Amino acid sequence: MLIEMVKMKKTLDKNTRDELIRTAIEARRHAYAPYSNYTVGAALLTSTGKIFSGVNVENAAYPTTMCAERVAVFKAISEGECKFVAIAVVTLNGGAPCGSCRQVLAEFGLETRVLIADAQGQVVREATVAELLPGAFRPEHLLDDSRGR
Ligand code: THU
């Protein structure tokens, strides 16, 4: 049922949005953020109707930290899912996805919807990846380059 609804609609219905945000809120409880104390939860909906959660995972060697959004994307990719419909990102205050996460999302589609919500599940912004990362570097840029050689 969810799969059919997702395939048919460009906009997300309320049930799907609620489920994504609920999943991201739940996931956020497992965030490992002892250094920043800024916990992030993400929930990624794929075109087959599966939802992959993610949390930020920090490290004492700070730069090796991984964001919640990318954890969700990498989990999905590693399980053979690479078409994304939407991702919900939940933080205490509705913080926006970082540039690296935008770039990783852009790799797999500019139309993926991004729901940015606070800890209460209030959506503070909804946008496509294209809107969040105008002029993204895309796989086709690499292809263009190799053709010219
Ligand atoms: N963080 C995310 O998980 N996603 C973002 O898009 C922005 C930042 C995490 C990384 C780090 O653990 C903490 O938030 C503070 O930067």
Side-chain angles (χ1 to χ4, degrees):
M1 180 66 171
L2 178 64
I3 301 173
E4 287 314 305
M5 279 161 35
V6 164
K7 276 185 187 158
M8 282 165 55
K9 289 188 180 178
K10 241 190 162 204
T11 53
L12 292 172
D13 63 277
K14 188 176 174 339
N15 285 348
T16 308
R17 297 163 66 91
D18 289 351
E19 190 181 349
L20 273 184
I21 290 166
R22 246 197 338 267
T23 306
I25 288 173
E26 267 300 299
R28 182 169 167 255
R29 294 170 46 221
H30 302 299
Y32 180 76
Y35 307 107
S36 73
N37 285 315
Y38 192 74
T39 57
V40 186
L44 178 70
L45 175 66
T46 70
S47 63
T48 65
K50 288 190 189 138
I51 295 177
F52 292 86
S53 65
V55 297
N56 53 331
V57 183
E58 298 188 345
N59 193 282
Y62 295 173
T64 61
T65 289
M66 184 50 64
C67 292
E69 299 91 318
R70 277 179 284 165
V71 169
V73 168
F74 297 159
K75 279 169 71 177
I77 296 296
S78 69
E79 294 193 25
E81 300 270 337
C82 60
K83 291 201 178 96
F84 306 145
V85 177
I87 185 168
V89 185
V90 169
T91 58
L92 180 68
N93 52 7
C98 78
S100 297
C101 290
R102 294 176 195 210
Q103 180 64 37
V104 166
L105 284 165
E107 176 78 14
F108 302 102
L110 297 173
E111 294 311 309
T112 303
R113 299 203 73 77
V114 184
L115 308 177
I116 302 168
D118 65 19
Q120 280 70 50
Q122 203 66 40
V123 175
V124 300
R125 185 171 179 199
E126 178 173 347
T128 62
V129 170
E131 288 163 343
L132 291 179
L133 191 63
F137 185 76
R138 298 266 302 153
E140 51 267 29
H141 292 128
L142 287 176
L143 294 177
D144 286 345
D145 192 43
S146 61
R147 237 181 273 135
R149 283 165 199 261

